Amino acid sequence: MISLFQILMLILDIAKFIIFVHIIMSWLINFEVLNLRQPLVGQIWDGLSRLLEPIYSQVRRILPSMGGLDLAPLIVLVAIYALQIVIRNNFYAFV
């Protein structure tokens, strides 16, 4: 049971890391520090966008329109943190 708990926490930590990389990369692209015409940057950006867009689109359907502000990554991060808290608190009831 402990192994399953640790694997689940690892998966959620990796998901948080991927979202943070996507957020930082979007800032760097918008401030023209990174250029999407570079092959490596373009491939990483495309891969991250394809991975995260299905999750973000589900959240965007629920959120009201905020103009140019996208709060979907923040909502997903809060949901991951909340899920980790719930799993951690309830794990000890089953051990």
Side-chain angles (χ1 to χ4, degrees), residues 32-50:
E32 298 178 4
V33 175
L34 291 178
N35 188 355
L36 285 177
R37 293 186 190 121
Q38 295 173 341
L40 180 64
V41 173
Q43 287 176 350
I44 293 172
W45 178 253
D46 187 46
L48 289 174
S49 295
R50 286 181 185 210

Side-chain angles (χ1 to χ4, degrees), residues 3-14:
S3 299
L4 184 63
F5 171 75
Q6 290 174 341
I7 291 170
L8 188 57
M9 288 297 147
L10 177 66
I11 290 170
L12 292 174
D13 285 338
I14 290 170

